[in-house]
Amino acid sequence: MAGERVLYFDTKRCVGCHACETACKIENGISPGPKWIEVVQQVVPREDDGWTIEFMPLNCRHCTNAGCITACPAGAIGKRGDGVVLVNRALCIGCGECLQGCPFGAPQFGPGGLMEKCTLCAHRPAGSPTACEQLCPVGAIRSGTPQEMSLHKRSSYLITAIALSASQGR
Amino acid sequence: MKTIRKKEHILILGAGAAGLSAADAIRTASPDTPVTVVSGEKGRPYARMALPYYISGKIPLEGIMTREEKELARQGVTYIAGDPAAGIDIDRRRVVLRSNRKLPFDKLLIATGSVPEYPEMLAGTEAPGVSHLWTLEDARQIKRLAHEGSSVAVWGAGFVSFMAAKALAGHDRKVHLICRADRILRRVLDAEAADLVDRTLFEKDVLCLKNTNVEKVEVLKGGRKRVVLNDSSELTVDLFIIALGTKPNIAFLEGTPLAGKKGIEVDEYLETRIPGIYAAGDVAVVSDCVTGERITPALWSTAVMEGRGAGLNMAGARRRCDLALLMNVVDFGGYSAISIGHPLTKDAGAEVFQFTREEDRSYRRFVFKEDRLIGAIVVGACFDAGFFPMLIRRRVELTRDQKDALLRQPWDMASLLMSLPSLMQAKDLV
Amino acid sequence: MISFNEKRCVGCYACQVVCKMEKGFPVGVFGITVLKGEEADENGVFRPVFRTSLCRHCTEAQCVRICPVRAITRDQHGMVVGTPEKCIGCRLCLLACPRSVPDFTGAQRVSKCNGCVERLQVGLQPRCVASCPTAALESVTRQELSEKKRRGYLEKRWERRQGTGTPSR
């Protein structure tokens, strides 16, 4: 859907500082164990036979056809109007079927035994940035609709293009 | 979840399904709130629903007890037994018990359940062996009097009378079920299902007298009872059990704004019109999740759900829990008849589908309205019956194809229902 | 919990059989049930799909809450277990369970999966898991499963990008 909010990552920018994980834990008061967002590093080969490290964040993707929603027998998971997939903890029975239905392993289970996961900081007023986005020191995380993301990418491309042509003296 | 301030005293009237579920819920949400549970009956709390099974000897007396005193103490719940509430002083926020003991409260849950109707014509025939099957005391008396080879008459053809008749069947006892209507369990089963149940009852030596009513009951010398029926025939029995329905137990609220005609009116959080006073279980008037009608379902399952919801709300949550699903099960050991929702609706727009399988006496009736399942009767094979309450309660809208697929294999819907994406419609997201 | 990977299941019913042998459930009652269904792919060709009906030992187990005689309880290992001797056969657990798991077919009393606690304690896998020839069933904690799926997703992603090496944390 056009207006659905997503979390966008610039894996080229991420330096693996795990600030987003901390920000998320503090913002949402998550108990030890579950990680709503988790950044993992990966060694990838470069074209010139060298190696480089890339970081990949793992969190709920707020899918359009979310597997967790279909899997939940208690009807506790649903999609909000702005595309955010949320779990109603009053209805959750903690059966773990959402985890079976999720290809990303996003649903987490803390000591309380009920499902918890990224809410795209749904408790914040509409339009405000998420905690991870706010705290990311390199601006690798952005939340917004795909249009906003597209606009952001286009403008950053333009900036790079202009900078590049300037440096080459054209 | 917000927890309430310490030392806010919660009083629960009634130690049945609703009362104890509420106490449990308050304990999980707020471990240090003082909670007092008042039971009108003596002794430990027990499950009224299980009384027929105690009479039939399927489980021992210990088996129907829902809490041990030790356990209540460990939970930090003060338990007062054998002292029913006699009145309530709303302005001074306290409840007066029958012993004139006064209990103050900050928050009150009324979960006093229901009491059986006692027909006026039976006035004067109080004697051992003429009783309801309602309290543990009744059950003990019935168990004592129902010796081998005795004869029993059960007046009424609802859930309790059915359970009583079934519990007493066997052991050479002659059991008569006196049924005013033309079939048993008229409110929950249709004619086909009732017929199957009837056949099974008959095999268990329960004789169902249909279209029959009791004219007069006399206690004979020696303790037997003569029951005169409206077709002028007579039955002489050792035990006469009355089960003509129940009404909410709210006599002690007489004169307060809480007492309504049907029961205690509550909002969607089970709070009454007086802030801080809640009601749950058989006394609370809640909404039917299919029709939206205001009803007092008087069922174990709804009482548990409401009790829990009211408990959480009293402990500071804000959880909507006033939608009740009607659900009745009668069982004969391995064989059962389950009625969920409104299978007997008179609604003109409802589509009815019936399926019969003779070899194992299975029968199913599904009632759809506008592609939503609104009622089901499942007799016999029942392993996928657990899906139907969910379909009905959540008012799941099926597509034409899904509905057709389900009805193509009416005896095994489990695999289809497990993969039905539209089952999942979460509301009230947090 | 016992995780079920429907892509791997071939519908051999081994889990169903060994579970019954292990637990000695009455005739007609199964602790785990494999359900066969069919599904059309994009070309309209049908293929079989398998699902399992097994107890998830839910945190907020509805069956435990509704049982009037406490015949279904949570034991000290966190498993939801049934005590047939206490059961009155009222079937409320069946109607309360969103997956219709407690099985009463032809039986008077509840018989259900106890998560094979006795096997777990001596370091064995639950019987159904141990018997599964295609490893469609796995015995994992929920956090382990999440970890596993996250790792699986990353590996797949890296494979697609033709990278090598494994993700580390």
Side-chain angles (χ1 to χ4, degrees):
Chain A
M1 215 204 293
E4 290 193 353
R5 284 183 76 202
V6 288
L7 212 55
Y8 165 77
F9 301 92
D10 194 337
T11 47
K12 297 259 158 37
R13 281 195 172 195
C14 180
V15 293
C17 71
H18 302 276
C20 47
E21 291 182 16
T22 319
C24 177
K25 284 234 169 196
I26 293 168
E27 175 75 19
N28 295 297
I30 307 167
S31 38
K35 286 178 174 174
W36 292 9
I37 182 169
E38 180 176 8
V39 175
V40 290
Q41 61 176 32
Q42 166 81 40
V43 181
V44 282
R46 265 197 331 239
E47 278 165 12
D48 57 359
D49 279 354
W51 296 85
T52 181
I53 289 175
E54 236 181 58
F55 296 95
M56 182 67 195
L58 290 167
N59 74 316
C60 176
R61 302 300 202 252
H62 300 279
C63 314
T64 303
N65 293 318
C68 55
I69 300 182
T70 328
C72 179
I77 313 174
K79 211 167 175 55
R80 214 168 61 167
D82 58 355
V84 181
V85 174
L86 292 175
V87 57
N88 183 346
R89 309 239 302 160
L91 292 178
C92 177
I93 57 172
C95 65
E97 295 215 16
C98 44
L99 192 51
Q100 303 250 293
C102 175
F104 307 106
Q108 299 288 295
F109 292 85
L114 296 184
M115 195 270 251
E116 49 188 272
K117 64 166 202 66
C118 166
T119 63
L120 270 188
C121 285
H123 55 280
R124 295 188 165 196
S128 32
T130 63
C132 50
E133 175 180 4
Q134 253 182 346
L135 221 75
C136 181
V138 291
I141 306 177
R142 285 184 81 91
S143 71
T145 61
Q147 279 86 342
E148 285 165 2
M149 289 306 108
S150 157
L151 198 66
H152 167 68
K153 286 206 95 169
R154 281 178 173 169
S155 49
S156 55
Y157 161 72
L158 274 180
I159 292 167
T160 328
I162 292 164
L164 199 66
S165 50
S167 70
Q168 287 172 0
R170 271 182 247 157
Chain B
M1 195 183 300
K2 245 183 6 209
T3 46
I4 53 171
R5 270 170 283 116
K6 274 183 201 173
K7 298 296 165 206
E8 189 170 48
H9 190 259
I10 294 181
L11 180 62
I12 298 172
L13 299 180
L20 290 179
S21 300
D24 285 349
I26 294 167
R27 271 290 157 267
T28 29
S30 155
D32 47 7
T33 311
V35 176
T36 305
V37 176
V38 177
S39 168
E41 287 177 51
K42 289 199 185 87
R44 286 193 274 157
Y46 64 91
R48 194 180 312 290
M49 209 199 99
L51 286 178
Y53 299 93
Y54 161 62
I55 293 177
S56 71
K58 189 167 182 178
I59 48 167
L61 181 60
E62 193 49 44
I64 65 170
M65 297 298 168
T66 43
R67 286 288 183 291
E68 285 174 39
E69 265 140 13
K70 271 205 308 257
E71 230 174 311
L72 286 163
R74 196 171 54 232
Q75 277 189 312
V77 172
T78 317
Y79 181 61
I80 300 171
D83 203 355
I88 173 171
D89 187 343
I90 291 168
D91 298 330
R92 294 162 76 178
R93 289 188 97 75
R94 62 188 193 188
V95 168
V96 185
L97 303 183
R98 195 166 59 190
S99 64
N100 215 15
R101 186 169 166 187
K102 293 178 182 70
L103 293 175
F105 63 84
D106 295 304
K107 280 183 179 161
L108 173 71
L109 176 68
I110 304 170
T112 43
S114 41
V115 285
E117 304 263 13
Y118 195 80
E120 276 170 30
M121 57 167 285
L122 285 179
T125 52
E126 289 90 354
V130 178
S131 83
H132 294 292
L133 171 48
W134 197 250
T135 61
L136 183 54
E137 212 30 67
D138 295 341
R140 279 206 178 106
Q141 193 194 63
I142 290 169
K143 200 171 163 78
R144 203 170 49 237
L145 291 171
H147 43 82
E148 232 162 82
S150 60
S151 63
V152 184
V154 183
W155 188 14
F159 185 72
V160 179
S161 39
F162 171 86
M163 295 303 277
K166 196 206 81 185
L168 289 165
H171 298 281
D172 276 339
R173 290 183 202 120
K174 258 196 229 73
V175 182
H176 290 89
L177 195 59
I178 304 166
C179 171
R180 283 173 293 183
D182 60 344
R183 60 169 198 263
I184 54 167
L185 296 161
R186 189 168 50 94
R187 299 249 179 87
V188 292
L189 297 184
D190 58 359
E192 287 86 349
D195 183 50
L196 285 170
V197 170
D198 207 22
R199 265 158 67 188
T200 316
L201 268 181
F202 189 71
E203 280 164 17
K204 306 225 170 200
D205 294 325
V206 176
L207 196 62
C208 194
L209 306 169
K210 288 165 202 138
N211 298 312
T212 312
N213 209 351
V214 174
E215 297 259 287
K216 206 163 69 178
V217 180
E218 288 167 30
V219 182
L220 303 173
K221 263 182 224 151
R224 303 196 84 192
K225 288 98 208 157
R226 183 160 68 211
V227 183
V228 184
L229 303 175
N230 62 349
D231 55 359
S232 64
S233 60
E234 284 180 14
L235 293 171
T236 313
V237 295
D238 301 295
L239 252 178
F240 183 68
I241 298 172
I242 312 147
L244 295 173
T246 60
K247 57 178 185 231
N249 180 15
I250 48 169
F252 68 101
L253 294 174
E254 212 58 55
T256 66
L258 292 172
K261 209 181 264 169
K262 279 185 187 162
I264 304 174
E265 286 291 339
V266 289
D267 65 6
E268 50 200 39
Y269 305 103
L270 298 183
E271 194 164 9
T272 62
R273 65 194 70 181
I274 296 161
I277 299 185
Y278 293 73
D282 296 4
V283 291
V285 184
V286 291
S287 302
D288 187 300
C289 66
V290 176
T291 61
E293 269 176 282
R294 300 296 282 174
I295 50 166
T296 46
L299 298 170
W300 180 274
S301 51
T302 51
V304 169
M305 194 202 78
E306 288 167 30
R308 179 175 159 75
L312 290 175
N313 287 343
M314 288 168 90
R318 210 69 184 133
R319 189 177 281 197
R320 180 161 190 196
C321 46
D322 71 323
L323 290 177
L325 171 66
L326 296 175
M327 199 157 79
N328 278 284
V329 190
V330 290
D331 77 288
F332 305 86
Y335 185 75
S336 66
I338 301 170
S339 164
I340 311 157
H342 291 267
L344 303 177
T345 179
K346 298 232 162 45
D347 199 313
E351 286 174 278
V352 179
F353 300 91
Q354 285 164 293
F355 304 93
T356 318
R357 192 166 67 184
E358 210 28 66
E359 71 254 31
D360 58 352
R361 280 198 200 170
S362 288
Y363 167 75
R364 287 181 172 203
R365 177 191 178 101
F366 297 104
V367 180
F368 285 88
K369 196 190 170 197
E370 290 155 3
D371 294 323
R372 286 194 178 106
L373 187 68
I374 60 165
I377 293 176
V378 179
V379 184
C382 67
F383 73 96
D384 55 352
F387 287 99
F388 306 132
M390 189 175 63
L391 280 174
I392 299 172
R393 184 191 293 282
R394 279 196 226 129
R395 308 187 48 65
V396 173
E397 216 169 316
L398 300 172
T399 64
R400 196 78 233 170
D401 288 350
Q402 286 168 339
K403 195 168 127 189
D404 289 348
L406 284 175
L407 293 170
R408 256 201 310 276
Q409 38 173 308
W411 303 105
D412 177 12
M413 295 189 168
S415 63
L416 276 172
L417 289 172
M418 267 178 102
S419 50
L420 204 64
S422 64
L423 270 183
M424 316 312 159
Q425 297 168 333
K427 288 175 191 125
D428 325 311
L429 291 175
V430 279
Chain C
M1 69 183 278
I2 292 169
S3 128
F4 172 69
N5 186 344
E6 63 176 63
K7 291 202 187 84
R8 290 192 159 191
C9 182
V10 291
C12 70
Y13 300 95
C15 48
Q16 213 167 316
V17 175
V18 293
C19 170
K20 200 156 169 157
M21 281 161 64
E22 174 89 15
K23 304 283 173 198
F25 289 143
V27 175
V29 174
F30 293 96
I32 173 169
T33 318
V34 177
L35 301 162
K36 202 172 77 187
E38 49 182 27
E39 215 174 63
D41 63 11
E42 313 83 71
N43 308 320
V45 180
F46 282 91
R47 64 181 181 88
V49 286
F50 298 100
R51 295 181 202 286
T52 51
S53 164
L54 72 149
C55 179
R56 297 285 181 185
H57 301 278
C58 308
T59 312
E60 295 279 332
Q62 304 292 306
C63 50
V64 173
R65 195 163 284 154
I66 207 157
C67 181
V69 291
R70 297 202 281 181
I72 298 187
T73 45
R74 186 175 297 280
D75 71 0
Q76 68 268 36
H77 310 288
M79 296 293 178
V80 175
V81 295
T83 318
E85 308 80 63
K86 285 188 182 174
C87 177
I88 54 176
C90 68
R91 287 167 175 74
L92 283 181
C93 49
L94 171 76
L95 296 175
C97 175
R99 284 287 190 244
S100 200
V101 168
D103 195 344
F104 280 92
T105 311
Q108 303 207 8
R109 295 168 193 263
V110 69
S111 312
K112 71 176 284 303
C113 163
N114 71 342
C116 279
V117 170
E118 66 285 351
R119 288 175 62 91
L120 290 176
Q121 275 175 331
V122 292
L124 291 170
Q125 300 243 296
R127 200 73 177 85
C128 53
V129 175
S131 76
C132 183
T134 56
L137 292 168
E138 271 178 291
S139 173
V140 286
T141 67
R142 289 171 192 149
Q143 277 309 107
E144 277 166 13
L145 180 60
S146 160
E147 199 90 325
K148 227 180 147 98
K149 292 202 104 177
R150 286 183 167 183
R151 198 167 279 261
Y153 160 68
L154 285 174
E155 271 161 15
K156 230 185 281 170
R157 186 174 175 274
W158 252 265
E159 250 166 53
R160 266 204 304 276
R161 298 185 59 208
Q162 288 166 343
T164 48
T166 44
S168 60
R169 280 153 219 254

